[in-house]
């Protein structure tokens, strides 16, 4: 399990070592992702984030979940495992190549019947969803420029008390560096947007690459 790289290394490693580790299936998926996707493997969540996602879904009692950004399926397996037997996860992604790996591991994990994959731009997929409040839990981990749109579209459909988890909100610890470019300025603006949103309560957790938890109401 990889520790966060923006806090004291000894403390980070200690925290990871005291978190329930991934099982053999998730380890195999992580290894195949590293082997097949090369430099893109960094898009996969960390194992401790996966453990937390499963726990959050279980704690909230979520039945209807949405994932924006599926990649090779690690996070979707973790979310689906936290859902009840009749729970459902809508997974949104643009890559048939990477999600073909996800589909195979969903089958192996025994959660394929809980997951519906929709390929295409996530903003379009979300806008086409029913507009009433029905989503219990959502995970956003896709292109960073799209975060404000994904957030608004999900929040509009989130039940009162529902939870959104947003990944990469600390940007490898560079989030406070005003001179840093790339995704950092946009993520800083997104973090400010969420922190100032009177519709929600939020906490930014320094786990993985930063995970922001947003509760509606």
């Amino acid at each position: 399990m990889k520790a966060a790289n923006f806090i004291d290394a000894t403390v980070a490693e200690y925290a990871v070592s005291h978190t329930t580790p991934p099982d053999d299936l998730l380890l195999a998926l992580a290894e195949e992702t590293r082997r097949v996707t090369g430099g893109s493997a960094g898009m996969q969540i960390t194992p401790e984030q996966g453990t937390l996602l499963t726990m959050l879904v279980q704690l909230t009692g979520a039945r209807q979940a949405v994932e924006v950004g599926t990649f090779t399926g690690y996070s979707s397996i973790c979310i689906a495992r936290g859902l009840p037997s009749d729970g459902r996860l809508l997974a949104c992604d643009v890559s048939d190549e990477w999600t073909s790996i996800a589909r195979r591991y969903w089958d192996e994990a025994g959660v394929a019947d809980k997951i519906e994959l929709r390929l295409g731009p996530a903003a379009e997929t979300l806008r086409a969803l029913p507009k009433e409040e029905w989503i219990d839990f959502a995970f956003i981990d896709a292109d960073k420029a799209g975060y404000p749109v994904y957030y608004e579209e999900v929040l509009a459909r989130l039940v009162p008390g529902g939870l959104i988890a947003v990944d990469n909100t600390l940007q490898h610890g560079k989030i406070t560096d005003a001179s840093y470019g790339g995704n950092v300025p946009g993520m800083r603006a997104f973090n400010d947007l969420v922190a100032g949103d009177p519709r929600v309560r939020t906490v930014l957790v320094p786990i993985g690459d930063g995970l922001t938890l947003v509760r509606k109401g």
Side-chain angles (χ1 to χ4, degrees):
M1 297 172 74
K2 181 180 178 182
N5 62 2
F6 45 78
I7 60 177
D8 180 85
T10 302
V11 175
E13 291 169 6
Y14 182 87
V16 167
S17 70
H18 287 77
T19 298
T20 301
D23 61 13
D24 289 343
L25 182 139
L26 289 174
L27 287 172
L29 171 54
E31 174 55 33
E32 181 170 344
T33 299
R34 285 190 292 269
R35 176 167 45 83
V36 173
T37 68
S40 296
M43 294 194 297
Q44 188 171 73
I45 64 169
T46 61
E48 65 271 22
Q49 284 180 302
T51 301
L52 180 60
L53 285 179
T54 301
M55 189 178 294
L56 288 173
V57 174
Q58 292 170 330
L59 288 171
T60 58
R63 304 175 70 87
Q64 299 291 333
V66 171
E67 174 183 69
V68 183
T70 296
F71 194 37
T72 59
Y74 195 110
S75 56
S76 48
I77 290 173
C78 294
I79 294 169
R81 282 177 166 176
L83 294 170
S85 58
D86 61 346
R88 295 293 178 267
L89 169 63
L90 174 63
C92 308
D93 205 277
V94 295
S95 174
D96 183 62
E97 179 182 7
W98 297 148
T99 56
S100 66
I101 299 174
R103 290 189 192 99
R104 178 157 43 83
Y105 278 90
W106 293 342
D107 286 333
E108 292 185 30
V111 297
D113 60 332
K114 295 182 181 181
I115 303 173
E116 177 189 353
L117 174 65
R118 294 191 189 179
L119 293 176
E124 295 178 11
T125 299
L126 293 173
R127 287 169 178 147
L129 294 175
K131 297 189 184 300
E132 63 264 21
E133 296 174 327
W134 60 275
I135 300 172
D136 301 306
F137 181 88
F139 180 51
I140 299 175
D141 184 20
D143 60 296
K144 310 316 166 192
Y147 272 26
V149 172
Y150 306 147
Y151 172 73
E152 290 295 341
E153 293 298 330
V154 169
L155 187 64
R157 295 163 174 81
L158 197 69
V159 300
L163 188 69
I164 304 173
V166 187
D167 196 20
N168 304 119
T169 50
L170 286 180
Q171 291 291 294
H172 305 289
K174 303 299 183 182
I175 196 67
T176 58
D177 187 345
S179 68
Y180 217 81
N183 289 320
V184 172
M187 187 61 72
R188 196 159 49 239
F190 174 77
N191 289 343
D192 290 344
L193 167 70
V194 174
D197 190 342
R199 300 170 295 177
V200 303
R201 297 179 66 82
T202 183
V203 59
L204 201 167
V205 183
I207 184 174
D209 189 29
L211 188 72
T212 296
L213 305 180
V214 185
R215 184 180 187 272
K216 184 176 182 177

